[in-house]
Amino acid sequence: MPTVGVNRDKLFEKLGRVYTDEEFDQLCFEYGIELDDVTSEKEMLRKELASAMAKGGDNKLAAEAAAASEEVIYKIDIPANRYDMLCVEGIARALNIFRGTQKAPEYRLADMAGKPLQQMVVKAETALVRPFVVCAVLRGVTFDAARYNSFIDLQDKLHQNLCRQRTLVAIGTHDLAKVQGPFTYEALPPEEIKFVPLKQTREFNAKELMQYYLDNDQKLKKFVPIIHNSVVYPVIYDANRTVLSLPPIINGQHSAISLETKDVFIECTATDLTKAKVVLNTVVTMFSEYCSQPFTVEPVEVTDAFGVKTAYPDLSCRRLDLTTDYVNSLLGTELPPPDIATLLNKMQVTATLGSDGKALSVSVPPTRSDILHACDVAEDVAIAHGYNNIATRIPPTATQGRELPLNQVTELLRGELAMAGFTEVLTWALVSRAENFDSLRRPDDGATAVEIGNPATAEFEVCRSSLLSSALKTLGANKENALPIKLFEVSDAILLDPSVSVGARNERRLIAVYCAKESGFEVVHGLLNRAMEVLGVPYRDEPGAASAPVSYHWAPSADPALFPGRQAAVYASTCPDKPVGVFGIVHPEVLAAFELPYPVSALELNIEPFVFDQFYQSKLEPLSN
Amino acid sequence: MADLESQLLQALNEKECIADSGDFAKSQGVDHMAVVGVIRSLQASEMIVAEDIDHFRYALTEESQTYLTAGSPEAQVFAAVGPDGITLAELKVKVPGEAGDVGFKQAMQQKWLALDKSGGEPRVVRKVDSIVDSTQALLADIAAGKEVPKADAENLAKKRKLIKPEQWKTYKLTKGAKFALERKKPATDLTFDMLAKGTWRTQEFKDYNFNALGVLPAGGHLHPLLKVRTQFRKIFTQMGFEEMPTNQYVESSFWNFDALFQPQQHPARDAHDTFFLTKPAATPSDRGVPADYLQRVQEVHEVGGYGSAGYGYSWKLAEAEKNLLRTHTTAVSSRMLYRLANQPGGFKPAKYFSIDRVFRNEAVDRTHLAEFHQVEGLVCDRGLTLGDLIGVLQQFFSRLGLKKLRFKPAFNPYTEPSMEIFSYSEQLGKWMEVGNSGMFRPEMLRPMGLPEDVNVIAWGLSLERPTMILYGIDNIRDLFGHKVSLSMVRRNPICRLGL
């Protein structure tokens, strides 16, 4: 969720009234934005300074902080789909319209009859790197410092969010007076692109510029990889071969806008045309407010590589047809149709009722790209009406409650294990590769554990294929406890399994560990016997076991994680080929790997073969096969 | 011991006073320490009063014990020298060790002996014919407990270190407030023996110390987060919800994102937020997703349909096939809803819930873990409304004790309308966000084949947050993970949610 910092007093000026923090918070709540923090530039710099001081001091920052403004700043959280509210202009406009103090503006293209349009010609090579460009011109803009900063901030916010860090769309804005159309959008080998980039005084070629940014510019270097490996770089030229921009990295110094700029040329290059149009619309609808003819935008004709000409921006309103019955039935309201139309006006949406009094023709302005479907319109009605004014109903849906049998058995077994004197722990499914294999002396055959490609920390390299490492880690973190320590967990191990569509499956297991001055091998053995007893599974050699639908037994095993000669595998008669569990004394080298000074015995058991009803019918209900 | 005690009480009863417990011990032929034990015990019961009597005496050292028979060192040396005298070397052999050295020195001082250096090697010769061994006599007197002159005693103790001072106490005993000839010792516990013999009827019992804690039981304990999970499961099942099979952490992007109408460029699909897998890296789309459904999902993303404009981008199959660790249990909900739409016999209304782990590729800190438990509930039926959602949320959260709710418009890629749920905390005096909710978008439901009048209302929250509030835990790592403190697991009350 993007956060936008706006000057409180400027905002209140636009809203035409002063609010207390509480009143403004309430207004935000109703609209679905959130007043996250009340601060000031000075306050923010002071915090930044404090953390910089902790790291060794920063004199420049200290000077800035001292000189910074104490004007109050509201940090406002904006829903991720309301790009039109990423600047103070948009927030004020949306809230004014919501409160009924302003009519939704009508965004228009300038009447260009008899006047030539600015031209942008796209060369075919751009398809290799960044195929789309859309443009517009804002005429007669009056900037002041606040407006200018807001204009720059909005581009920043859009770059961070909708533009996905400039990968999808990048915005360039230029002083039209300093350049000369027609413009061309080209893609050229980096060495051939030469210009003085913004905030530089000398000429670079694009190749050296990328290296310069990688070496020297913390902010811009993260965008370099978007085009770095491309054989051609995108570039926009004017008629005099002046470079306007090297998208998505930097504009040229020559066409930079300033407070004196009157006519602004805006270009958005993109890999996603839909988003480029939304970005362009957002910028022009917000800042055409300051044009000599407010809310009027001059179109630019873009000629694509196939010679097809399209004028941008497209400020037409999209039409959506729905009915007031749909809105009422979705919300559970009985709002009169005219009220619905009025409520929608508060959300910048113009609605016209049809002759039958129920058909609703909705006109979605270019600022509301978030409206995709009639349900979005219905939501706007609900917001304008007030979520908290909606009459509630308990859904009439009559269904039967039911636990998943696997989880029900898990719940019952947990209780029994605690009754048996073991204490429950809750550990992570994500572990390091070493914990899952090397530390347990178990080889990684490459066909056992699910592997994560991009873990943020090395702690989480694989999904555990056994619960043993987690239990030993817990013992290691609780060494100061009085002995014996008896722990258990009933949770999932995750195993690669090509027979399942996603290639892996969970397996519900019981892990129990006993840690004392003596190994406690008999204790975990006894716990196995007890667990089986409560699961209703007889030991193979018990009288009557032969005729039982399922029985179990154990036999000496050779798990490298356990001590030779003091371990056994557990078998169920229903799946005789593969053990369902193992128990034994943990190998001393494993204990050393987990920094455990005392002997430990462990039991790990797959309980899924024992998830059956009283008639021994399996109740496993896997999600996918 | 009991005998000794009754003897003492008897003696005291007869004489009203025992002047010295030392004498009493002698009269009984027992060590005085045994009597002290009895005195202490009777004193504690206030049956007798004991007054200290301090004693002092000198006793022989181990070394000087031997001089009682062998004579003092100087006497031994005098005897060894004999009438004819001997050389020093011969003397050392006859009276070896310390006794020889000390004895020679003493005998010389006493002028019993002299050193004759007249002819060659010096010889020790007697100066007197006979001696009186007064040192031995003194030692004998001390050993016998007789008084000796103070100057002599101090000389023997300090200079010659042949005797040492000893101090001890005995007691003068008189009757105490609770004097009795026989004492009834109160029992600390009721025993099998008392029951068998019936002595519990007359037995006096010692006062129980009610200020101490009892002995803790030795049983095991359940983890607090899972106690809370149990209560949530009960609330859901009591409300008629059926549990979904969430025991599958590995999921394809298709079911986790695409089926939910979450566009492929959505930030949640970034490697920064989601664990993508290298093994198993992908789920081939022909496994588990029917081709026609896949086609409908692609279309709704790219160009819309079902009344939607769609997102207008080029949808990539490879992106949908990428495997990940599910970021929400809604991945399971999407599979279940598809199943519901396509089950034999057609659509039937359903209420589902789940509580299980979800994964986020985040750095671990006080409030964030890379895995946590998501609680999710959903109702799928014909004609459900936003009013139904608010109604079911009020029902659900009131079971958690959160009765004052309000709802804030929110954005969620797969729900519309969407609402954040806030609850007023009387304790903290403020509104707190307690969950997220909404109605699943038609772009999600219609491609699955759910009938047009079917709506799905759903909500979710984390299990960790309410648990941390309930049990006063402020660091999530103290609750979930191997660093949990076992004493925290042992020492927590039952979870009363849902009462």
Side-chain angles (χ1 to χ4, degrees):
Chain A
M1 189 181 289
T3 302
V4 179
V6 301
N7 182 307
R8 181 193 62 183
D9 296 342
K10 284 271 184 313
L11 177 66
F12 287 172
E13 199 179 294
K14 285 176 181 288
L15 292 175
R17 65 160 281 194
V18 170
Y19 287 84
T20 65
D21 292 348
E22 290 71 28
E23 286 169 341
F24 188 71
D25 184 51
Q26 180 60 33
L27 176 64
C28 288
F29 192 93
E30 284 166 20
Y31 196 77
I33 59 180
E34 194 170 324
L35 179 58
D36 183 52
D37 196 10
V38 181
T39 177
S40 71
E41 212 167 291
K42 202 180 192 93
E43 180 68 29
M44 286 190 286
L45 277 168
R46 209 178 289 140
K47 278 183 191 161
E48 208 179 311
L49 183 64
S51 71
M53 290 306 258
K55 286 176 205 148
D58 187 334
N59 287 331
K60 189 171 146 244
L61 209 56
E64 273 180 43
S69 155
E70 298 207 43
E71 285 180 24
V72 176
I73 289 177
Y74 275 176
K75 293 262 188 184
I76 303 175
D77 283 346
I78 305 295
N81 63 342
R82 287 300 300 268
Y83 316 113
D84 61 312
M85 294 181 74
L86 293 176
C87 56
V88 67
E89 288 77 9
I91 293 171
R93 200 179 299 167
L95 292 178
N96 274 328
I97 297 165
F98 182 62
R99 295 180 312 147
T101 53
Q102 180 186 333
K103 245 176 81 62
E106 211 177 295
Y107 305 101
R108 281 183 310 266
L109 292 180
D111 179 8
M112 299 301 285
K115 286 180 252 176
L117 293 189
Q118 289 289 347
Q119 298 286 326
M120 172 67 80
V121 178
V122 180
K123 297 285 171 67
E125 298 77 39
T126 56
L128 293 171
V129 51
R130 199 170 179 86
F132 306 109
V133 64
V134 293
C135 311
V137 173
L138 294 177
R139 288 278 179 190
V141 178
T142 309
F143 278 123
D144 60 22
R147 291 172 179 185
Y148 180 88
N149 288 337
S150 178
F151 189 57
I152 303 295
D153 286 349
L154 172 65
Q155 294 174 50
D156 256 1
K157 285 279 182 289
L158 286 168
H159 278 152
Q160 284 163 30
N161 294 285
L162 181 58
C163 304
R164 307 290 306 119
Q165 306 295 345
R166 305 192 189 179
T167 53
L168 300 181
V169 188
I171 311 159
T173 54
H174 310 275
D175 190 335
L176 186 56
K178 295 180 183 165
V179 287
Q180 175 71 49
F183 305 98
T184 53
Y185 180 41
E186 308 179 18
L188 297 172
E191 295 83 356
E192 291 177 23
I193 304 169
K194 296 194 183 81
F195 69 113
V196 182
L198 202 60
K199 291 181 180 154
Q200 297 293 337
T201 47
R202 73 169 176 95
E203 187 174 272
F204 287 79
N205 77 40
K207 187 178 175 176
E208 40 176 18
L209 186 61
M210 292 306 102
Q211 196 54 50
Y212 176 81
Y213 286 148
L214 284 177
D215 296 341
N216 299 301
D217 197 312
Q218 285 306 320
K219 182 170 174 248
L220 291 178
K221 77 185 224 189
K222 60 177 192 257
F223 304 117
V224 170
I226 303 174
I227 55 167
H228 203 207
N229 293 326
S230 174
V231 288
V232 287
Y233 286 5
V235 58
I236 295 177
Y237 286 106
D238 80 345
N240 302 318
R241 298 306 283 171
T242 305
V243 169
L244 271 69
S245 64
L246 180 77
I249 314 296
I250 192 79
N251 292 343
Q253 176 64 33
H254 182 80
S255 57
I257 63 164
S258 68
L259 285 178
E260 282 71 45
T261 299
K262 288 288 161 207
D263 299 333
V264 182
F265 180 74
I266 303 164
E267 37 88 4
C268 298
T269 57
T271 54
D272 180 320
L273 182 59
T274 310
K275 292 206 168 51
K277 292 188 215 171
V278 173
V279 168
L280 182 66
N281 282 354
T282 304
V283 175
V284 299
T285 52
M286 289 305 114
F287 282 86
S288 57
E289 182 177 329
Y290 303 129
C291 286
S292 50
Q293 286 185 302
F295 306 115
T296 302
V297 183
E298 182 180 314
V300 174
E301 190 168 73
V302 177
T303 308
D304 75 13
F306 303 101
V308 178
K309 292 177 190 295
T310 314
Y312 293 104
D314 177 2
L315 295 180
S316 62
C317 289
R318 275 181 303 125
R319 199 177 133 166
L320 254 176
D321 288 310
L322 58 152
T323 66
T324 54
D325 284 350
Y326 169 80
V327 173
N328 276 324
S329 74
L330 194 72
L331 303 182
T333 48
E334 288 169 1
L335 296 169
D339 291 12
I340 291 179
T342 312
L343 286 170
L344 281 171
N345 288 338
K346 294 172 73 175
M347 306 303 288
Q348 313 174 22
V349 174
T350 316
T352 321
L353 273 181
S355 54
D356 67 347
K358 287 185 169 179
L360 199 60
S361 178
V362 169
S363 172
V364 182
T367 46
R368 293 299 310 277
S369 59
D370 59 297
I371 296 181
L372 302 176
H373 187 277
C375 68
D376 298 298
V377 178
E379 185 189 61
D380 275 3
V381 174
I383 293 171
H385 175 61
Y387 274 9
N388 298 293
N389 299 323
I390 289 173
T392 68
R393 176 177 82 156
I394 304 298
T397 313
T399 52
Q400 202 176 45
R402 182 174 181 263
E403 293 175 67
L404 188 75
L406 173 67
N407 291 351
Q408 199 169 1
V409 169
T410 300
E411 288 281 278
L412 295 170
L413 188 60
R414 287 174 53 231
E416 295 285 350
L417 292 163
M419 283 187 243
F422 283 71
T423 290
E424 188 172 39
V425 295
L426 179 68
T427 57
W428 301 335
L430 305 184
V431 296
S432 73
R433 184 187 303 275
E435 282 162 358
N436 201 53
F437 294 109
D438 290 359
S439 301
L440 292 178
R441 300 177 81 249
R442 285 175 178 160
D444 181 2
D445 62 3
T448 304
V450 168
E451 294 178 10
I452 296 166
N454 60 326
T457 67
E459 265 182 292
F460 309 131
E461 292 170 315
V462 298
C463 294
R464 60 181 174 193
S465 55
S466 150
L467 307 188
L468 181 56
S469 64
S470 312
L472 295 177
K473 265 202 290 186
T474 310
L475 283 176
N478 283 280
K479 277 185 276 206
E480 75 288 355
N481 275 258
L483 299 176
I485 307 172
K486 298 188 271 185
L487 305 180
F488 83 94
E489 182 173 6
V490 184
S491 193
D492 290 352
I494 303 92
L495 304 165
L496 289 174
D497 186 344
S499 73
V500 179
S501 63
V502 295
R505 66 182 167 86
N506 287 23
E507 188 171 282
R508 183 67 44 90
R509 291 189 182 178
L510 154 66
I511 180 81
V513 288
Y514 179 92
C515 173
K517 287 206 170 140
E518 293 86 30
S519 79
F521 183 45
E522 298 89 348
V523 178
V524 297
H525 188 178
L527 188 70
L528 167 72
N529 301 145
R530 174 63 186 153
M532 287 304 193
E533 192 168 68
V534 300
L535 288 168
V537 181
Y539 172 47
R540 184 186 61 186
D541 296 348
E542 269 172 47
S547 59
V550 56
S551 65
Y552 80 106
H553 73 279
W554 56 92
S557 60
D559 184 336
L562 302 176
F563 201 51
R566 289 290 183 282
Q567 55 167 297
V570 185
Y571 296 87
S573 61
T574 42
C575 37
D577 305 332
K578 230 178 97 229
V580 294
V582 67
F583 65 96
I585 300 176
V586 176
H587 197 285
E589 286 174 12
V590 174
L591 295 176
F594 289 93
E595 293 177 7
L596 288 167
Y598 302 111
V600 174
S601 287
L603 161 68
E604 183 161 5
L605 182 71
N606 171 13
I607 66 162
E608 293 188 4
F610 313 111
V611 176
F612 42 67
D613 63 13
Q614 70 270 42
F615 308 111
Y616 294 92
Q617 295 299 307
S618 173
K619 302 296 276 183
L620 289 177
E621 298 165 2
L623 181 62
S624 63
N625 293 308
Chain B
M1 178 83 186
D3 265 5
L4 189 60
E5 183 178 289
S6 72
Q7 291 293 338
L8 190 144
L9 290 169
Q10 200 72 46
L12 196 55
N13 195 37
E14 282 163 18
K15 300 177 194 152
E16 291 297 315
C17 171
I18 293 175
D20 190 321
S21 58
D23 298 338
F24 175 76
K26 262 179 226 157
S27 73
Q28 296 297 316
V30 297
D31 189 84
H32 184 248
M33 286 318 289
V35 178
V36 171
V38 172
I39 290 170
R40 294 260 180 272
S41 164
L42 289 170
Q43 225 180 346
S45 309
E46 297 175 58
M47 290 173 71
I48 60 168
V49 175
E51 249 175 83
D52 292 1
I53 308 170
D54 291 316
H55 296 270
F56 178 86
R57 72 172 177 206
Y58 284 108
L60 302 199
T61 64
E62 216 169 296
E63 179 201 353
S64 54
Q65 287 284 353
T66 63
Y67 305 151
L68 285 179
T69 47
S72 68
E74 54 269 34
Q76 289 180 41
V77 169
F78 185 81
V81 168
D84 302 330
I86 53 174
T87 64
L88 272 174
E90 284 164 342
L91 180 61
K92 273 202 162 53
V93 175
K94 280 197 162 176
V95 187
E98 179 129 339
D101 292 346
V102 174
F104 176 70
K105 219 188 281 168
Q106 285 292 329
M108 289 292 284
Q109 269 178 21
Q110 308 253 5
K111 304 197 185 327
W112 292 351
L113 299 176
L115 206 55
D116 178 11
K117 298 178 184 170
S118 55
E121 195 186 353
R123 290 177 68 84
V124 184
V125 293
R126 282 182 173 177
K127 257 178 114 172
V128 293
D129 295 336
S130 62
I131 54 153
V132 177
D133 191 353
S134 58
T135 304
Q136 186 190 35
L138 277 171
L139 290 175
D141 283 354
I142 288 164
K146 289 182 190 161
E147 284 281 310
V148 295
K150 200 177 169 198
D152 288 339
E154 275 181 5
N155 180 44
L156 286 179
K158 287 182 183 154
K159 286 198 179 139
R160 300 201 58 185
K161 308 228 187 307
L162 290 176
I163 57 173
K164 56 191 178 194
E166 271 183 5
Q167 288 181 352
W168 76 101
K169 273 186 168 67
T170 57
Y171 303 93
K172 177 186 175 191
L173 305 176
T174 49
K175 288 180 179 174
K178 295 186 180 168
F179 181 82
L181 270 181
E182 201 182 334
R183 143 162 95 165
K184 279 189 185 154
K185 199 169 187 184
T188 54
D189 205 356
L190 182 67
T191 63
F192 166 72
D193 203 42
M194 294 173 195
L195 296 178
K197 292 181 182 158
T199 52
W200 62 271
R201 291 175 193 281
T202 51
Q203 177 67 51
E204 195 179 319
F205 288 89
K206 196 176 176 187
D207 284 346
Y208 186 75
N209 179 5
F210 284 99
N211 295 322
L213 292 174
V215 179
L216 283 175
H221 307 78
L222 294 176
H223 191 281
L225 188 82
L226 301 179
K227 288 184 182 177
V228 177
R229 184 179 72 177
T230 299
Q231 294 310 109
F232 270 91
R233 298 176 82 248
K234 282 189 180 155
I235 292 167
F236 273 117
T237 49
Q238 287 161 1
M239 287 173 67
F241 284 69
E242 178 177 345
E243 194 171 22
M244 295 188 278
T246 46
N247 54 321
Q248 183 188 298
Y249 299 160
V250 174
E251 190 51 275
S252 68
S253 292
F254 179 83
W255 288 108
N256 195 80
F257 290 128
D258 296 281
L260 298 172
F261 195 52
Q262 200 145 344
Q264 295 189 327
Q265 307 84 358
H266 192 277
R269 301 182 73 155
D270 247 27
H272 299 297
D273 289 302
T274 301
F275 287 114
F276 287 97
L277 304 180
T278 43
K279 195 191 283 180
T283 299
S285 58
D286 57 357
R287 295 193 68 178
V289 187
D292 58 333
Y293 175 46
L294 195 71
Q295 178 69 31
R296 290 195 295 272
V297 169
Q298 173 167 4
E299 275 169 19
V300 81
H301 277 250
E302 290 187 334
V303 297
Y306 316 97
S308 174
Y311 289 122
Y313 71 100
S314 167
W315 185 86
K316 307 261 187 330
L317 182 61
E319 198 61 40
E321 289 181 333
K322 279 186 187 169
N323 273 345
L324 43 76
L325 294 177
R326 66 170 177 225
T327 61
H328 47 192
T329 50
T330 318
V332 177
S333 310
S334 66
R335 283 181 180 268
M336 294 302 284
L337 289 170
Y338 179 81
R339 195 186 278 184
L340 205 57
N342 297 279
Q343 67 191 351
F347 170 77
K348 280 186 209 69
K351 295 197 284 201
Y352 289 132
F353 83 96
S354 65
I355 309 169
D356 211 337
R357 296 182 193 215
V358 296
F359 302 85
R360 304 279 166 91
N361 197 3
E362 284 184 5
V364 171
D365 63 26
R366 292 184 77 79
T367 52
H368 295 87
L369 289 180
E371 53 189 289
F372 62 94
H373 291 75
Q374 183 187 340
V375 179
E376 180 166 350
L378 65 89
V379 186
C380 177
D381 200 354
R382 298 180 190 273
L384 291 176
T385 69
L386 191 62
D388 287 316
L389 175 57
I390 297 174
V392 77
L393 289 174
Q394 279 168 346
Q395 203 176 36
F396 176 79
F397 281 97
S398 78
R399 292 298 306 276
L400 303 179
L402 308 177
K403 298 196 194 304
K404 199 169 161 189
L405 299 184
R406 66 173 188 171
F407 303 93
K408 174 175 167 276
F411 169 66
N412 195 333
Y414 49 89
T415 57
E416 189 81 7
S418 309
M419 308 192 298
E420 277 170 11
I421 309 156
F422 284 73
S423 158
Y424 188 77
S425 162
E426 300 288 350
Q427 289 79 25
L428 300 173
K430 64 173 184 182
W431 290 93
M432 305 210 310
E433 195 194 331
V434 292
N436 226 316
S437 67
M439 302 178 74
F440 283 151
R441 293 191 70 97
E443 293 96 327
M444 168 182 171
L445 301 181
R446 299 288 95 81
M448 290 176 171
L450 284 167
E452 196 144 343
D453 59 342
V454 168
N455 288 330
V456 179
I457 55 181
W459 72 98
L461 59 151
S462 91
L463 186 63
E464 279 77 2
R465 220 168 96 85
T467 306
M468 288 167 75
I469 293 169
L470 270 176
Y471 288 103
I473 296 166
D474 65 352
N475 184 343
I476 196 167
R477 288 168 291 193
D478 292 339
L479 181 66
F480 186 8
H482 60 278
K483 285 187 179 147
V484 65
S485 131
L486 294 180
S487 68
M488 184 280 293
V489 178
R490 289 189 198 107
R491 306 180 60 157
N492 63 75
I494 54 172
C495 173
R496 294 168 195 270
L497 290 182
L499 288 183

